[in-house]
Amino acid sequence: MRPWTAGTLKAAFFFFASISAWYSGYLLAELIPEVSLTRAVYGFRSIAEKPLLKAPTPKRQKCDHWTPCPLNTYAYRLLSGGGQDKYAKICFEDELLIGEKTGNVGRGINIAIVDYLTGKVRATQYFNMVEGDNSGLMASFIQSAPPKSLLFMVTQDDGASGLKEDAKKVIEALGSKQIRNIQFRSSWVFLTAKGFELPADIQRENINHSDNARNRYSGWPAEIQIEGCIPKMPS
């Protein structure tokens, strides 16, 4: 008898291994009930078909703040105009006091006066600083605000060309540090109080000058804003 060659032994090994693998699979299929396999397949399909969980939509805050103001405070947001189509806004306690939707925004300096004790708006007005002589009228309007008033001011287009010394003095007396720096088409926002002091940590003023090398819009700088929370009068 001829001795088995290495090739013959290898072929025999693979033959028996294949038979063993087939038989093991057959036994496994016989031992595991069909219902269990069906349930397992269905479970995997269910997991794959379930919709992905989505993060809840953030709750909108007053005046579009990112976070809510603390209790017993007023929310405010001042936004200057930008270019020809971005209108200035004054929002207080989620009420739009001045803006495109309210139809009371105009080129120049826009002002809203609010009763600090009640949170109710007293008056709103814009003063054209490009056409007409309105600087004196604006100074008188600001001075007419009674004590315990909040005053909000924002520019639309140009607030500097017609601004005269009388109005600058009145605004400067209320704490503005930038009114004498305002230039042609500067974006400017200002918050102040009459008859009481605001907390020192409240942002009150911001300005952005027109610069052809940096302007966001053709001929105009980017709009600017300030926002925050004003503590109410303790009861």
Side-chain angles (χ1 to χ4, degrees):
M1 179 180 294
R2 294 169 56 189
W4 285 22
T5 65
T8 305
L9 290 174
K10 186 180 293 187
F13 173 78
F14 279 118
F15 173 77
F16 285 112
S18 299
I19 294 296
S20 299
W22 174 85
Y23 188 67
S24 298
Y26 172 79
L27 288 178
L28 186 64
E30 289 295 323
L31 292 173
I32 299 177
E34 184 178 354
V35 175
S36 299
L37 289 173
T38 304
R39 286 178 179 175
V41 172
Y42 178 77
F44 284 119
R45 288 182 59 187
S46 299
I47 293 173
E49 293 173 359
K50 283 184 178 179
L52 296 175
L53 295 177
K54 295 182 179 180
T57 303
K59 182 180 178 181
R60 183 186 172 278
Q61 305 300 333
K62 290 181 179 179
C63 293
D64 293 323
H65 283 200
W66 283 104
T67 56
C69 280
L71 292 175
N72 298 316
T73 61
Y74 295 123
Y76 70 90
R77 181 171 179 254
L78 310 185
L79 178 70
S80 72
Q84 292 182 314
D85 303 320
K86 303 292 185 180
Y87 290 94
K89 295 179 182 179
I90 297 177
C91 178
F92 182 78
E93 277 296 276
D94 217 26
E95 179 183 356
L96 187 64
L97 306 185
I98 286 180
E100 182 182 12
K101 291 183 178 180
T102 53
N104 59 347
V105 63
R107 67 190 311 196
I109 297 180
N110 296 258
I111 303 176
I113 301 175
V114 173
D115 186 325
Y116 173 62
L117 299 179
T118 65
K120 302 299 182 182
V121 61
R122 291 184 181 272
T124 62
Q125 186 67 47
Y126 70 87
F127 298 90
N128 194 322
M129 291 293 135
V130 180
E131 300 175 350
D133 185 5
N134 297 306
S135 184
L137 294 174
M138 185 175 71
S140 298
F141 179 78
I142 295 172
Q143 289 174 322
S144 71
K148 302 296 183 183
S149 291
L150 293 166
L151 291 92
F152 305 93
M153 307 182 195
V154 295
T155 55
Q156 173 72 42
D157 187 9
D158 176 34
S161 295
L163 187 64
K164 297 181 179 179
E165 184 65 20
D166 53 356
K168 290 180 181 180
K169 284 184 177 180
V170 170
I171 297 174
E172 191 174 43
L174 289 172
S176 172
K177 306 297 184 184
Q178 298 291 345
I179 192 60
R180 294 192 178 276
N181 297 327
I182 193 170
Q183 302 170 11
F184 176 67
R185 288 183 174 172
S186 292
S187 293
W188 175 69
V189 293
F190 178 50
L191 158 66
T192 189
K194 187 174 181 180
F196 68 101
E197 290 292 329
L198 291 171
D201 60 345
I202 287 183
Q203 187 180 12
R204 309 183 191 197
E205 193 171 21
N206 201 356
I207 195 168
N208 188 21
H209 299 301
S210 179
D211 181 343
N212 289 332
R214 299 187 300 110
N215 283 345
R216 175 178 295 176
Y217 310 102
S218 179
W220 284 272
E223 57 270 55
I224 55 171
Q225 71 172 12
I226 58 175
E227 64 179 42
C229 311
I230 303 171
K232 297 180 180 180
M233 177 72 74
S235 57

Short mmCIF file of all heavy atoms in Angstrom, two decimals, residues 198-225:
data_model
loop_
_atom_site.label_atom_id
_atom_site.label_comp_id
_atom_site.label_asym_id
_atom_site.label_seq_id
_atom_site.Cartn_x
_atom_site.Cartn_y
_atom_site.Cartn_z
N LEU A 198 -28.42 103.23 37.41
CA LEU A 198 -28.43 101.84 36.98
C LEU A 198 -27.26 101.10 37.60
O LEU A 198 -26.23 101.71 37.92
CB LEU A 198 -28.32 101.75 35.45
CG LEU A 198 -29.53 102.24 34.64
CD1 LEU A 198 -29.16 102.30 33.16
CD2 LEU A 198 -30.72 101.34 34.85
N PRO A 199 -27.37 99.78 37.79
CA PRO A 199 -26.22 99.01 38.30
C PRO A 199 -24.99 99.19 37.41
O PRO A 199 -25.10 99.31 36.19
CB PRO A 199 -26.73 97.57 38.27
CG PRO A 199 -28.22 97.69 38.37
CD PRO A 199 -28.57 98.93 37.63
N ALA A 200 -23.84 99.19 38.02
CA ALA A 200 -22.60 99.47 37.29
C ALA A 200 -22.27 98.40 36.25
O ALA A 200 -21.56 98.68 35.28
CB ALA A 200 -21.45 99.61 38.28
N ASP A 201 -22.75 97.18 36.44
CA ASP A 201 -22.37 96.10 35.53
C ASP A 201 -23.27 96.00 34.30
O ASP A 201 -23.07 95.13 33.46
CB ASP A 201 -22.38 94.76 36.27
CG ASP A 201 -23.76 94.42 36.84
OD1 ASP A 201 -24.61 95.32 36.92
OD2 ASP A 201 -23.97 93.24 37.21
N ILE A 202 -24.23 96.89 34.15
CA ILE A 202 -25.11 96.86 32.99
C ILE A 202 -24.43 97.56 31.80
O ILE A 202 -23.92 98.68 31.94
CB ILE A 202 -26.46 97.54 33.30
CG1 ILE A 202 -27.30 96.63 34.20
CG2 ILE A 202 -27.24 97.86 32.02
CD1 ILE A 202 -28.67 97.17 34.52
N GLN A 203 -24.41 96.90 30.66
CA GLN A 203 -23.85 97.53 29.47
C GLN A 203 -24.79 98.62 28.98
O GLN A 203 -25.96 98.37 28.71
CB GLN A 203 -23.63 96.50 28.35
CG GLN A 203 -22.89 97.07 27.15
CD GLN A 203 -22.68 96.04 26.04
OE1 GLN A 203 -23.28 94.97 26.08
NE2 GLN A 203 -21.86 96.38 25.07
N ARG A 204 -24.28 99.83 28.84
CA ARG A 204 -25.14 100.97 28.55
C ARG A 204 -24.94 101.55 27.15
O ARG A 204 -25.84 102.26 26.67
CB ARG A 204 -24.89 102.08 29.57
CG ARG A 204 -24.96 101.61 31.01
CD ARG A 204 -24.79 102.75 31.98
NE ARG A 204 -24.61 102.27 33.34
CZ ARG A 204 -24.76 103.03 34.41
NH1 ARG A 204 -25.08 104.29 34.28
NH2 ARG A 204 -24.57 102.53 35.62
N GLU A 205 -23.79 101.31 26.54
CA GLU A 205 -23.51 102.04 25.30
C GLU A 205 -22.55 101.24 24.42
O GLU A 205 -21.70 100.51 24.92
CB GLU A 205 -22.90 103.40 25.65
CG GLU A 205 -22.84 104.39 24.50
CD GLU A 205 -22.44 105.78 24.97
OE1 GLU A 205 -21.83 105.89 26.06
OE2 GLU A 205 -22.71 106.74 24.26
N ASN A 206 -22.72 101.44 23.11
CA ASN A 206 -21.81 100.82 22.15
C ASN A 206 -21.83 101.65 20.88
O ASN A 206 -22.85 102.27 20.54
CB ASN A 206 -22.22 99.37 21.86
CG ASN A 206 -21.07 98.55 21.31
OD1 ASN A 206 -19.97 99.05 21.08
ND2 ASN A 206 -21.31 97.27 21.08
N ILE A 207 -20.71 101.66 20.16
CA ILE A 207 -20.61 102.46 18.94
C ILE A 207 -19.71 101.75 17.94
O ILE A 207 -18.77 101.04 18.32
CB ILE A 207 -20.08 103.88 19.26
CG1 ILE A 207 -20.30 104.83 18.08
CG2 ILE A 207 -18.61 103.84 19.66
CD1 ILE A 207 -20.08 106.30 18.42
N ASN A 208 -20.03 101.93 16.67
CA ASN A 208 -19.24 101.34 15.59
C ASN A 208 -19.20 102.36 14.45
O ASN A 208 -20.23 102.73 13.91
CB ASN A 208 -19.87 100.03 15.11
CG ASN A 208 -18.99 99.29 14.13
OD1 ASN A 208 -17.79 99.50 14.06
ND2 ASN A 208 -19.60 98.42 13.34
N HIS A 209 -18.00 102.83 14.12
CA HIS A 209 -17.87 103.89 13.13
C HIS A 209 -17.80 103.32 11.71
O HIS A 209 -17.34 102.20 11.48
CB HIS A 209 -16.61 104.72 13.40
CG HIS A 209 -16.62 105.40 14.73
ND1 HIS A 209 -17.60 106.31 15.10
CD2 HIS A 209 -15.78 105.31 15.79
CE1 HIS A 209 -17.35 106.75 16.32
NE2 HIS A 209 -16.26 106.15 16.77
N SER A 210 -18.23 104.15 10.78
CA SER A 210 -18.15 103.78 9.37
C SER A 210 -16.70 103.84 8.91
O SER A 210 -15.98 104.81 9.17
CB SER A 210 -19.01 104.73 8.53
OG SER A 210 -18.93 104.39 7.15
N ASP A 211 -16.28 102.78 8.23
CA ASP A 211 -14.91 102.69 7.72
C ASP A 211 -14.98 101.87 6.43
O ASP A 211 -15.32 100.70 6.44
CB ASP A 211 -14.01 102.00 8.75
CG ASP A 211 -12.56 101.90 8.30
OD1 ASP A 211 -12.30 102.06 7.08
OD2 ASP A 211 -11.68 101.65 9.14
N ASN A 212 -14.66 102.51 5.32
CA ASN A 212 -14.81 101.84 4.03
C ASN A 212 -14.02 100.54 3.94
O ASN A 212 -14.38 99.64 3.18
CB ASN A 212 -14.39 102.78 2.89
CG ASN A 212 -15.38 103.91 2.69
OD1 ASN A 212 -16.57 103.77 2.98
ND2 ASN A 212 -14.89 105.05 2.21
N ALA A 213 -12.95 100.44 4.70
CA ALA A 213 -12.13 99.22 4.67
C ALA A 213 -12.77 98.09 5.46
O ALA A 213 -12.45 96.91 5.23
CB ALA A 213 -10.73 99.51 5.20
N ARG A 214 -13.65 98.41 6.41
CA ARG A 214 -14.21 97.38 7.29
C ARG A 214 -15.74 97.30 7.25
O ARG A 214 -16.32 96.42 7.87
CB ARG A 214 -13.79 97.64 8.74
CG ARG A 214 -12.29 97.61 8.98
CD ARG A 214 -11.94 97.71 10.46
NE ARG A 214 -12.43 98.96 11.05
CZ ARG A 214 -13.43 99.05 11.91
NH1 ARG A 214 -14.08 97.97 12.28
NH2 ARG A 214 -13.78 100.22 12.39
N ASN A 215 -16.41 98.20 6.56
CA ASN A 215 -17.86 98.24 6.56
C ASN A 215 -18.48 96.93 6.08
O ASN A 215 -18.00 96.33 5.11
CB ASN A 215 -18.37 99.38 5.67
CG ASN A 215 -18.24 100.73 6.34
OD1 ASN A 215 -18.04 100.82 7.54
ND2 ASN A 215 -18.37 101.79 5.56
N ARG A 216 -19.52 96.51 6.76
CA ARG A 216 -20.25 95.31 6.34
C ARG A 216 -21.11 95.60 5.12
O ARG A 216 -21.25 94.78 4.22
CB ARG A 216 -21.12 94.79 7.48
CG ARG A 216 -22.02 93.60 7.07
CD ARG A 216 -22.82 93.08 8.24
NE ARG A 216 -21.96 92.50 9.26
CZ ARG A 216 -22.42 92.03 10.42
NH1 ARG A 216 -23.72 92.08 10.69
NH2 ARG A 216 -21.59 91.51 11.29
N TYR A 217 -21.70 96.78 5.10
CA TYR A 217 -22.55 97.18 3.99
C TYR A 217 -21.86 98.29 3.20
O TYR A 217 -20.97 98.96 3.72
CB TYR A 217 -23.91 97.67 4.52
CG TYR A 217 -24.55 96.71 5.50
CD1 TYR A 217 -24.51 96.97 6.87
CD2 TYR A 217 -25.17 95.55 5.07
CE1 TYR A 217 -25.09 96.10 7.78
CE2 TYR A 217 -25.74 94.67 5.97
CZ TYR A 217 -25.69 94.95 7.32
OH TYR A 217 -26.26 94.08 8.23
N SER A 218 -22.27 98.49 1.98
CA SER A 218 -21.66 99.52 1.15
C SER A 218 -22.00 100.90 1.70
O SER A 218 -23.12 101.39 1.55
CB SER A 218 -22.18 99.39 -0.29
OG SER A 218 -21.64 100.40 -1.12
N GLY A 219 -21.03 101.52 2.37
CA GLY A 219 -21.24 102.86 2.92
C GLY A 219 -21.69 102.88 4.36
O GLY A 219 -21.77 103.96 4.96
N TRP A 220 -21.97 101.70 4.95
CA TRP A 220 -22.44 101.63 6.33
C TRP A 220 -21.66 100.57 7.12
O TRP A 220 -21.33 99.51 6.57
CB TRP A 220 -23.92 101.26 6.40
CG TRP A 220 -24.88 102.35 6.04
CD1 TRP A 220 -25.42 103.29 6.88
CD2 TRP A 220 -25.44 102.60 4.75
NE1 TRP A 220 -26.27 104.11 6.18
CE2 TRP A 220 -26.31 103.72 4.87
CE3 TRP A 220 -25.29 102.00 3.50
CZ2 TRP A 220 -27.01 104.23 3.80
CZ3 TRP A 220 -25.99 102.51 2.43
CH2 TRP A 220 -26.84 103.61 2.58
N PRO A 221 -21.43 100.83 8.40
CA PRO A 221 -20.81 99.79 9.24
C PRO A 221 -21.84 98.75 9.64
O PRO A 221 -23.05 98.91 9.41
CB PRO A 221 -20.33 100.59 10.46
CG PRO A 221 -21.31 101.71 10.57
CD PRO A 221 -21.68 102.08 9.14
N ALA A 222 -21.37 97.70 10.27
CA ALA A 222 -22.28 96.66 10.78
C ALA A 222 -23.14 97.23 11.91
O ALA A 222 -22.73 98.12 12.63
CB ALA A 222 -21.49 95.47 11.29
N GLU A 223 -24.35 96.71 12.02
CA GLU A 223 -25.20 97.09 13.14
C GLU A 223 -24.57 96.58 14.44
O GLU A 223 -23.81 95.61 14.43
CB GLU A 223 -26.61 96.53 12.98
CG GLU A 223 -26.68 95.01 12.84
CD GLU A 223 -26.59 94.56 11.40
OE1 GLU A 223 -25.64 94.93 10.71
OE2 GLU A 223 -27.49 93.80 10.97
N ILE A 224 -24.91 97.21 15.54
CA ILE A 224 -24.41 96.79 16.84
C ILE A 224 -25.58 96.69 17.81
O ILE A 224 -26.67 97.24 17.55
CB ILE A 224 -23.34 97.76 17.40
CG1 ILE A 224 -23.88 99.19 17.45
CG2 ILE A 224 -22.06 97.68 16.61
CD1 ILE A 224 -22.97 100.15 18.17
N GLN A 225 -25.37 96.03 18.93
CA GLN A 225 -26.44 95.87 19.89
C GLN A 225 -25.89 95.79 21.31
O GLN A 225 -24.71 95.52 21.53
CB GLN A 225 -27.27 94.62 19.60
CG GLN A 225 -26.54 93.31 19.91
CD GLN A 225 -27.44 92.10 19.79
OE1 GLN A 225 -28.55 92.17 19.29
NE2 GLN A 225 -26.97 90.98 20.28
#
